[in-house]
Amino acid sequence: MQFRDLKTQYTVLKDEMDKAILDVVASSAYVMGPKIKEMETAFAEYVGAKHCVACNSGTDALLLALKVWDVKAGDAVFVPSFTFFASAEVIAMQGATPVFVDVDQDTFNMDVVDLERKIEQTVKAGKLRPRVIIAVDLFGLPADFKAIRAVAGKHDLYVLEDGAQGFGGRMGERKACSFGDISTTSFFPAKPVGCYGDGGAVFTDNHEWAELLDSYHVHGKGSDRYDNVRIGMNSRMDSIQAAILLVKLKAFADHELVDVNKVAARYTEKLQGVAKTPIVPNGFYSSWAQYTLQVENKEVRAGLQAALKVLDIPTAIYYPIPMHRQTAFGYLNLADNHCPVSDQLADTVISLPIHPYLFEEEQDRICKAVGDFLEH
Ligand SMILES: *Cc1c(COP(=O)(O)O)cnc(C)c1O
């Protein structure tokens, strides 16, 4: 069994996909070119943002956003401790200081009460200038942007939505990757919409920032590519990935997002009372980048993972080490009780196979195996 079955997806999309890829090969427009513009327009329209700039990864997308806001040494950037490393890594890459915020046990997303507390502590300490909140749409569920925006407004901070896992999620009718002053996503193959390699995008409604993003992602270009007006990077998306993403977006919007939600609903129904199933608050809609259970403790989790492995059912631990305990951030010398909920989740979460092509029989087998282990 596959954790995320990209092969079946390819088989379903094969004719259209092969043609899209070979058209780019035949065109010889491998870098930039019309496919990139087409992809940017389609993704901006889907998300409901005025501008989309395609780039080389979700990590670069975050980094580009911080460059636009000139985030630098002396700046504090607030980010959840329970996330993928890249959300926090980019802050340090700019020379700024990450301030880790705990998460909510039910949604896995930023805890707004702890956010306020960490902002106030930072202001009081007087060493760093608070600049940006990076809120992550973990496992496909949008963060509580209404509450986060209120806090940001109060303290005059920018909101950067890390929608690497959130693409396709919604709050009301509004789509993920439109909630930040700048929002980003990743097209790494295993994300809700993935390409066949690395890829990412940045979204914003701000015209001036969109122009800066366009410049930063091609060596800080000015009026043309040999006129360089700022220090940028090489973070172009390959045309071939743009062509792949146009095919994938269509399938995602046509049926995949609905199908993956059916799979998630079935898990929640069948595993009710067996383990703590993920909670989607009223008015929210998830794109289910992961389906994550919480079990009693680390030992139970190790046992469950081993029992499933024997039955050829793959599982994953997202994430075993929160940011405030990462070796790379050891220089911050954080207190042991910095983010207790993140610590607890790191020991108790386990993610099950989920994707739009998971057959009911396979899912029944997974649920039975989980039930058999946890109920005995
Ligand atoms: C995957 C991921 C990223 C980084 O995306 P890449 O395309 O792999 O660089 C950033 N943030 C989160 C939350 C992610 O899951």
Side-chain angles (χ1 to χ4, degrees):
M1 193 185 294
Q2 305 275 320
F3 188 71
R4 191 164 187 94
D5 191 346
L6 297 170
K7 234 185 224 169
T8 300
Q9 184 195 45
Y10 170 66
T11 310
V12 171
L13 303 176
K14 186 174 188 316
D15 290 348
E16 207 183 341
M17 190 60 91
D18 289 358
K19 182 174 182 313
I21 292 170
L22 288 175
D23 280 354
V24 175
V25 175
S27 79
S28 84
Y30 305 132
V31 175
M32 307 309 269
K35 273 291 153 198
I36 298 293
K37 277 277 161 275
E38 204 185 315
M39 176 272 170
E40 288 174 339
T41 304
F43 276 75
E45 194 178 318
Y46 179 86
V47 158
K50 288 207 179 99
H51 305 277
C52 168
V53 176
C55 65
N56 201 258
S57 71
T59 306
D60 281 3
L62 290 166
L63 193 58
L64 286 162
L66 296 184
K67 285 189 185 296
V68 164
W69 291 333
D70 192 25
V71 170
K72 54 182 181 287
D75 291 345
V77 178
F78 301 87
V79 66
S81 183
F82 193 66
T83 182
F84 179 62
F85 189 64
S87 314
E89 182 182 30
V90 292
I91 301 165
M93 281 170 87
Q94 284 296 101
T97 303
V99 178
F100 300 120
V101 178
D102 213 353
V103 295
D104 180 276
Q105 202 189 337
D106 287 341
T107 63
F108 306 105
N109 281 331
M110 185 177 261
D111 174 349
V112 183
V113 174
D114 195 49
L115 172 64
E116 282 236 70
R117 193 183 303 135
K118 296 278 164 66
I119 294 171
E120 275 155 20
Q121 283 170 3
T122 306
V123 170
K124 206 163 149 215
K127 292 200 179 109
L128 299 168
R129 185 161 75 112
R131 293 284 316 279
V132 178
I133 300 167
I134 300 182
V136 180
D137 302 330
L138 207 73
F139 303 153
L141 180 70
D144 186 356
F145 283 100
K146 206 168 156 217
I148 290 166
R149 288 210 148 275
V151 173
K154 200 162 121 190
H155 296 274
D156 199 19
L157 306 174
Y158 287 130
V159 175
L160 173 53
E161 176 186 10
D162 179 354
Q165 302 180 16
F167 194 88
R170 291 199 299 266
M171 266 171 67
E173 286 310 303
R174 214 168 137 182
K175 291 203 180 79
C177 301
S178 77
F179 297 123
D181 296 305
I182 298 179
S183 303
T184 64
T185 197
S186 163
F187 301 118
F188 181 78
K191 309 281 172 159
V193 174
C195 57
Y196 291 166
D198 278 308
V202 194
F203 301 91
T204 186
D205 283 343
N206 184 307
H207 181 70
E208 200 180 313
W209 293 343
E211 289 196 330
L212 283 171
L213 288 164
D214 190 47
S215 167
Y216 274 117
H217 93 303
V218 185
H219 304 293
K221 67 176 175 180
S223 57
D224 78 66
R225 100 174 98 137
Y226 299 110
D227 169 34
N228 305 92
V229 296
R230 54 184 66 85
I231 303 300
M233 51 206 278
N234 171 8
S235 187
R236 297 172 297 232
M237 173 178 280
D238 294 338
S239 303
I240 220 164
Q241 303 298 354
I244 290 162
L245 284 167
L246 283 162
V247 176
K248 291 267 202 136
L249 180 63
K250 201 156 134 268
F252 184 76
D254 276 357
H255 66 94
E256 286 186 353
L257 181 59
V258 170
D259 291 348
V260 81
N261 267 275
K262 284 185 192 149
V263 173
R266 244 174 134 251
Y267 266 141
T268 297
E269 187 194 315
K270 289 185 173 279
L271 294 172
Q272 212 54 249
V274 174
K276 183 169 158 65
T277 52
I279 290 167
V280 177
N282 266 339
F284 285 69
Y285 187 79
S286 177
S287 57
W288 298 104
Q290 301 297 339
Y291 188 90
T292 304
L293 297 175
Q294 294 175 51
V295 297
E296 221 168 296
N297 56 45
K298 215 170 172 169
E299 290 68 40
V300 171
R301 180 176 73 183
L304 175 60
Q305 196 165 31
L308 294 177
K309 191 168 178 211
V310 169
L311 300 169
D312 184 37
I313 298 169
T315 55
I317 309 303
Y318 300 121
Y319 294 93
I321 308 175
M323 292 309 112
H324 69 283
R325 294 197 186 279
Q326 291 287 350
T327 307
F329 290 124
Y331 68 91
L332 294 170
N333 288 315
L334 298 171
D336 212 44
N337 62 352
H338 198 68
C339 294
V341 177
S342 300
D343 279 335
Q344 188 200 328
L345 290 173
D347 285 348
T348 56
V349 289
I350 178 165
S351 300
L352 301 179
I354 190 162
H355 54 84
Y357 302 91
L358 187 66
F359 295 122
E360 288 194 359
E361 306 83 76
E362 286 181 296
Q363 208 186 357
D364 289 344
R365 197 160 78 74
I366 297 165
C367 293
K368 180 169 184 312
V370 172
D372 283 351
F373 180 83
L374 291 178
E375 287 172 338
H376 296 125

